[in-house]
C-alpha cells in the first residue's frame, strides 16, 4: 500500500497558495489513530496488515502504510511515518507508534509512552499529569479501534499506548517546553490533515500558549513578537521572563483573542522593526502582508522636524537601524520615537476598541531601549 492518497481525487492532495501548488500532509493524530487501528486489526484478526484506511474529521480518506510491525505475545505494535506535506513541520518524518493489547476493563483506554509529552501546567487541552494527546486525536483513536472491535465481534477492553521514539528530541524544537509539556511531542490535530503554510495553525498555537498564561493567573499578558523581543526582555527588563508568550507576526489576532478571553491587558515588547508597522495600523507584521517601515519612520521624522534631505535618506534605508542613525544625526531621534509611541498606542487601542489596556515597549538591537507607549509603565508594574 502506498503511503498516502488523499481523497478520491488527486487534486485533494494539494492546495493552491500564492500561485504555488503545495502538498497537504496528515497530523500526528492521524498517524496515531491509523497505527492503533492497524495494530488492533492484527491483534484481533491474527493476520499481518501492511496498511490501513482512515477517514479524517475533515472527511478526507487516508491510506497509510504501517511500519515496524511487531507482535509479542498478546501485544501488537506498529507505526506510521508522519508526513507534513509542504508545511515546515518539526514532526515531519517521525514514526508515530501504537502498541495495542487486550485488557480486562471494557472500552478503549489511551495512554502516552516514550516520546509523548506529559502535561505539567493547567490551561492545556488535557489535565495536569495526562499524556499530551489532544481530545480530537483521542476521539480518532477510540473510534478507529472501536470499529475494529465491532468488526471482529470483540467486546472486551483494549489498551492503546502511543509512543514516538524520537519524540523527546523533536520536542526541543517545538513550543512544548514553553507550554509546560515535558518529555516529548504532543499528538495533535483537529482535522486530521496538515494544511501547508497554515496561518490558522500558527494562530492556534498562540491561543494555546495564551490559555496557559491565563490558567496560571495572568490578567496582564507579557507578549513578544519574536526572538529579539525575548532577548531584550531577558537582558534589559525587570519582568518575569518565564511568563512571556510569543505572538509572532499576529499582533492583531493576539489582541482579538485576549479581548474574547477577558484578559485585562497586554504589554508588547518588540523590536522597532516590527512595532513601527503597528504605528501605521499594520497588525500583521510579516513582510508579505505589509512593510512601510521606512515610510512610517520618514513620516514621523518629518513631524519631528527632520530636514527634507533626511526624510529622503530614510526612504532609501534597508533597516531601521540605518534610519535611527539618520534621526540621531539630525537630533530628532527622541522626538520621533515619542511620536511613534503615540501612534502605536492609538492603533493598539483602535484594534481593541479600547476594551482592554494595551501598551508597548520598543527597542533597537544596536541602541537598546527607544521608547514606550502611554500605558506601558502601568502594565509593567502590574506584571511585576
Amino acid at each position: 500500500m502506498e503511503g498516502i492518497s488523499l481523497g478520491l481525487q488527486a487534486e485533494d492532495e494539494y492546495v493552491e497558495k500564492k500561485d504555488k501548488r503545495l502538498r497537504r500532509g496528515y497530523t500526528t493524530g492521524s498517524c496515531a489513530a491509523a497505527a492503533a487501528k492497524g495494530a488492533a486489526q492484527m491483534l484481533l484478526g491474527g493476520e499481518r496488515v501492511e496498511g490501513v484506511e482512515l477517514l479524517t474529521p475533515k472527511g478526507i480518506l487516508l491510506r497509510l502504510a504501517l511500519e515496524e510491525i511487531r507482535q509479542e505475545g498478546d501485544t501488537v505494535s506498529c507505526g506510521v511515518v508522519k508526513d507534513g506535506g509542504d508545511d515546515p513541520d518539526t514532526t515531519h518524518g517521525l514514526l508515530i507508534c501504537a502498541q495495542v493489547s487486550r485488557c480486562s476493563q471494557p472500552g478503549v483506554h489511551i495512554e502516552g509512552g516514550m516520546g509523548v509529552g506529559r502535561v505539567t501546567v493547567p490551561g492545556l487541552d488535557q489535565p495536569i499529569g495526562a499524556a499530551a494527546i489532544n481530545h480530537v486525536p483521542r476521539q480518532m483513536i477510540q473510534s478507529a479501534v472501536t470499529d475494529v472491535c465491532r468488526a471482529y465481534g470483540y467486546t472486551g477492553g483494549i489498551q492503546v499506548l502511543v509512543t514516538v521514539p524520537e519524540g523527546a528530541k523533536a520536542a526541543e524544537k517545538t513550543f512544548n517546553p514553553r507550554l509546560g509539556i515535558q518529555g516529548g511531542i504532543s499528538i495533535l490535530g483537529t482535522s486530521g490533515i496538515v494544511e501547508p503554510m497554515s496561518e490558522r495553525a500558527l494562530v492556534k498555537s498562540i491561543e494555546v500558549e495564551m490559555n496557559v498564561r491565563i490558567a496560571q493567573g495572568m490578567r496582564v499578558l507579557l507578549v513578544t513578537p519574536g526572538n529579539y523581543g525575548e532577548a531584550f526582555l531577558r537582558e534589559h527588563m525587570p519582568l518575569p521572563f518565564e511568563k512571556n508568550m510569543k505572538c509572532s507576526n499576529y499582533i492583531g489576532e493576539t489582541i482579538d483573542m485576549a479581548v474574547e478571553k477577558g484578559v485585562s491587558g497586554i504589554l508588547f515588547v518588540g523590536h522597532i522593526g516590527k512595532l513601527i508597522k503597528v504605528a501605521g495600523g499594520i497588525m500583521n507584521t510579516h513582510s508579505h502582508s505589509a512593510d512601510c517601515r521606512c515610510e512610517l519612520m520618514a513620516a514621523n521624522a518629518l513631524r519631528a522636524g527632520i530636514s527634507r534631505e533626511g526624510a529622503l535618506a530614510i526612504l532609501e534605508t534597508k533597516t531601521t537601524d540605518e534610519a535611527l542613525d539618520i534621526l540621531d544625526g539630525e537630533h530628532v531621534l527622541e522626538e520621533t520615537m515619542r511620536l511613534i509611541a503615540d501612534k502605536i498606542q492609538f492603533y493598539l487601542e483602535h484594534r481593541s476598541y479600547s476594551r482592554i489596556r494595551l501598551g508597548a515597549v520598543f527597542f533597537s538591537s544596536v541602541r537598546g531601549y527607544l521608547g514606550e507607549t502611554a500605558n506601558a509603565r502601568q502594565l509593567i508594574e502590574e506584571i511585576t
Side-chain angles (χ1 to χ4, degrees):
M1 178 177 290
E2 295 183 1
I4 179 171
S5 173
L6 294 176
L8 300 177
Q9 299 178 352
E11 59 264 29
D12 286 341
E13 295 187 25
Y14 297 90
V15 291
E16 301 287 337
K17 291 197 175 183
K18 300 186 184 301
D19 300 322
K20 292 183 179 180
R21 195 165 184 251
L22 300 177
R23 189 171 62 86
R24 285 175 165 138
Y26 42 88
T27 64
T28 51
S30 290
C31 294
K37 180 178 182 179
Q41 286 181 347
M42 288 183 273
L43 176 68
L44 300 180
E47 295 182 0
R48 186 181 177 90
V49 176
E50 299 291 342
V52 297
E53 292 187 345
L54 182 78
L55 184 64
T56 64
K58 192 178 180 70
I60 293 177
L61 182 68
L62 299 174
R63 297 184 177 92
L64 300 173
L66 301 178
E67 309 284 346
E68 297 196 13
I69 299 169
R70 294 189 180 92
Q71 183 161 5
E72 298 177 1
D74 201 28
T75 298
V76 177
S77 65
C78 61
V80 172
V81 176
K82 165 69 186 297
D83 185 348
D86 286 330
D87 195 65
D89 189 338
T90 303
T91 61
H92 177 80
L94 289 181
L95 184 68
I96 313 298
C97 301
Q99 176 182 293
V100 173
S101 57
R102 293 181 176 89
C103 65
S104 58
Q105 187 178 359
V108 178
H109 309 280
I110 302 164
E111 186 54 271
M114 177 185 63
V116 175
R118 189 70 52 173
V119 176
T120 65
V121 298
L124 294 168
D125 183 274
Q126 295 296 304
I128 292 176
I133 305 172
N134 280 10
H135 71 281
V136 172
R138 287 178 183 269
Q139 291 168 1
M140 293 172 67
I141 294 168
Q142 182 164 8
S143 177
V145 174
T146 298
D147 286 347
V148 173
C149 292
R150 188 179 298 115
Y152 286 99
Y154 177 71
T155 57
I158 292 288
Q159 180 72 44
V160 179
L161 180 68
V162 180
T163 62
V164 185
E166 299 296 323
K169 182 177 179 180
E172 296 173 1
K173 300 177 182 179
T174 72
F175 271 103
N176 277 12
R178 294 174 57 90
L179 296 175
I181 298 173
Q182 302 296 328
I185 67 165
S186 300
I187 305 301
L188 300 172
T190 56
S191 69
I193 298 298
V194 175
E195 298 289 346
M197 310 296 288
S198 171
E199 289 194 358
R200 180 167 52 184
L202 290 171
V203 173
K204 181 64 178 178
S205 70
I206 296 168
E207 182 180 13
V208 170
E209 189 167 9
M210 184 180 293
N211 288 339
V212 170
R213 300 297 173 227
I214 293 171
Q216 291 172 339
M218 292 190 69
R219 302 303 301 157
V220 175
L221 301 177
L222 178 58
V223 178
T224 56
N227 293 332
Y228 289 147
E230 275 196 337
F232 183 82
L233 178 64
R234 182 194 293 274
E235 297 169 13
H236 301 290
M237 295 190 71
L239 290 172
F241 173 81
E242 68 280 0
K243 293 184 178 180
N244 92 89
M245 58 169 283
K246 283 187 178 180
C247 70
S248 185
N249 295 296
Y250 302 101
I251 290 176
E253 287 86 349
T254 299
I255 293 171
D256 296 344
M257 288 188 287
V259 170
E260 182 181 346
K261 294 175 184 297
V263 170
S264 66
I266 303 176
L267 176 70
F268 292 95
V269 178
H271 192 278
I272 183 65
K274 288 283 188 188
L275 292 187
I276 193 171
K277 297 181 185 182
V278 179
I282 297 167
M283 291 292 158
N284 183 327
T285 58
H286 197 290
S287 58
H288 76 69
S289 294
D291 194 345
C292 297
R293 290 170 299 167
C294 56
E295 290 85 357
L296 289 165
M297 192 77 82
N300 284 282
L302 283 169
R303 294 175 63 211
I306 199 172
S307 67
R308 177 179 181 274
E309 291 75 19
L312 289 173
I314 288 174
L315 291 175
E316 297 301 319
T317 58
K318 301 298 183 185
T319 68
T320 50
D321 282 314
E322 292 179 69
L324 294 174
D325 288 342
I326 296 170
L327 295 173
D328 196 18
E330 294 213 15
H331 309 292
V332 293
L333 176 60
E334 184 176 345
E335 178 63 10
T336 304
M337 294 303 103
R338 185 190 67 79
L339 293 169
I340 287 171
D342 289 346
K343 285 295 185 181
I344 292 172
Q345 187 70 59
F346 172 81
Y347 282 110
L348 289 175
E349 292 179 354
H350 178 72
R351 178 68 182 221
S352 71
Y353 296 104
S354 300
R355 287 174 290 179
I356 61 174
R357 290 171 299 129
L358 298 163
V361 174
F362 49 97
F363 62 91
S364 155
S365 298
V366 175
R367 294 174 176 270
Y369 173 88
L370 291 172
E372 61 189 58
T373 66
N375 287 347
R377 192 53 43 184
Q378 181 185 13
L379 294 168
I380 289 171
E381 291 173 358
E382 292 189 32
I383 293 172
T384 55

